[in-house]
Amino acid sequence: MKDVKVIYYNDELNDEFSKAKIKAKKIDGKYKYIKSPLWNFMSFIFQNILSMPLKILYPKIKFRIEYKGKEKLKPYKNKGYFVYVNHTQPFADTMIPSVPIYPKRNFFIVNPENISIKPFGKIIEMLGAIPVPGSKNAVKNFLDVIEKRIRNNQSITIYPEAHIWPYYTKIRNFKSVSFKYPVRLDVHVFCMTNTYQAFGKKKNKAKIVTYIDGPFYANKELNEKQAKEELRDKVYNTMVNRSKNSNIDIVKYVKNP
């Protein structure tokens, strides 16, 4: 493509290229991860009814999105599971996983910045955001709500790369820490890999093709550390292979020397 934007980076684990600059609220022991029944009802309305037309239409209109492998999720419609997704869009990434998962409620583990946006933070929470705890006394409540969602046969989406790199066509190295949740809860894992593929007469436009893979399971014969590392590697290698289907660059990322 002509006029490909170039972004220089230093650290693929920690560099962040989202344009939003938000002061994050403190997620401590006072933060209520498990809300009231009224809140939960309103959240369901926002999450699975009012927002669904936007979740379906925006990625379709903006990115001509296609899903490959949706049938892999169908046998697990009455079971809780985790979904790992690469992080390449600041807005659409909150919508893309929920469409093939629907009508199951899909929750997201997010950085506290995501629920600190005034006046939209509460709406983002109602749409399924679960913020990462910012203190030790918040960790138990965080783990409790994760277990509650999974035991209620809902799904939880995790972006293991943690930071947004818009239109990035490869998979950044990511840590295994988030894989402790499916290991401890003994549930299966899926991954979705967003790729950018050329279309149009001149093949100079990009559409998103999302590949769904899994289920993956933790090896029960290993200890927790070994099991989460192995599970991480299964997901990472699958996403790397799927990312090779990207064939167009909107943004080129170059590591600083």
Side-chain angles (χ1 to χ4, degrees):
M1 286 187 66
K2 295 181 180 180
D3 302 322
V4 173
K5 182 179 179 180
V6 177
I7 292 178
Y8 294 89
Y9 71 92
N10 297 306
D11 182 355
E12 66 177 3
L13 280 173
N14 297 302
D15 284 359
E16 170 69 65
F17 295 108
S18 171
K19 294 180 180 179
K21 304 298 179 184
I22 303 162
K23 184 178 179 180
K25 66 188 295 185
K26 179 77 170 180
I27 307 298
D28 55 22
K30 296 179 181 179
Y31 180 81
K32 293 183 178 180
Y33 280 100
I34 298 177
K35 315 290 189 182
S36 69
L38 177 59
W39 171 282
N40 194 52
F41 174 74
M42 293 301 297
S43 174
F44 171 78
I45 297 296
F46 272 97
Q47 194 176 5
N48 268 37
I49 298 176
L50 297 181
S51 67
M52 283 311 299
L54 180 62
K55 290 175 182 176
I56 294 168
L57 292 174
Y58 178 78
K60 193 69 176 177
I61 294 171
K62 176 73 174 177
F63 300 105
R64 299 201 177 194
I65 193 166
E66 295 179 22
Y67 293 95
K68 305 287 188 180
K70 289 190 291 184
E71 70 281 356
K72 297 171 185 176
L73 299 172
K74 289 182 179 179
Y76 302 89
K77 62 182 179 180
N78 295 320
K79 296 181 179 179
Y81 52 74
F82 290 87
V83 183
Y84 292 81
V85 189
N86 55 325
H87 211 358
T88 66
Q89 290 294 327
F91 188 50
D93 277 359
T94 64
M95 305 176 183
I96 289 171
S98 296
V99 175
I101 289 171
Y102 185 82
K104 182 191 293 292
R105 291 182 71 182
N106 181 42
F107 293 82
F108 297 82
I109 294 180
V110 302
N111 289 321
E113 288 86 350
N114 290 271
I115 66 161
S116 304
I117 306 169
K118 295 181 179 180
F120 305 109
K122 293 298 182 184
I123 295 176
I124 293 171
E125 287 182 83
M126 283 193 169
L127 290 172
I130 303 174
V132 173
S135 66
K136 289 184 178 179
N137 57 359
V139 172
K140 182 182 183 302
N141 296 335
F142 173 72
L143 296 176
D144 284 347
V145 76
I146 288 176
E147 182 171 4
K148 179 180 176 65
R149 299 307 177 198
I150 293 298
R151 299 306 181 209
N152 285 345
N153 301 324
Q154 295 157 348
S155 63
I156 295 179
T157 293
I158 297 174
Y159 298 98
E161 296 170 324
H163 303 284
I164 300 171
W165 284 28
Y167 294 96
Y168 191 60
T169 56
K170 297 179 181 179
I171 304 300
R172 287 166 275 150
N173 186 26
F174 52 77
K175 298 178 181 179
S176 64
V177 60
S178 64
F179 290 86
K180 67 185 178 184
Y181 310 130
V183 171
R184 290 179 181 178
L185 296 174
D186 191 24
V187 293
H188 38 277
V189 160
F190 292 89
C191 64
M192 296 187 190
T193 311
N194 298 315
T195 66
Y196 293 88
Q197 300 186 23
F199 78 97
K201 291 182 179 180
K202 297 182 179 180
K203 298 294 183 181
N204 62 348
K205 298 178 182 179
K207 67 179 180 179
I208 291 178
V209 180
T210 299
Y211 295 91
I212 301 168
D213 289 291
F216 304 97
Y217 300 90
N219 187 341
K220 295 181 181 180
E221 296 181 0
L222 303 177
N223 62 39
E224 181 179 299
K225 184 179 186 299
Q226 293 170 329
K228 73 178 184 179
E229 291 288 346
E230 184 185 76
L231 189 57
R232 175 264 178 207
D233 290 347
K234 288 179 183 178
V235 169
Y236 177 78
N237 291 333
T238 299
M239 295 176 77
V240 167
N241 286 331
R242 288 299 192 185
S243 72
K244 294 175 183 177
N245 289 299
S246 290
N247 57 17
I248 187 170
D249 285 317
I250 303 298
V251 180
K252 184 177 181 180
Y253 289 82
V254 178
K255 187 169 185 177
N256 282 318

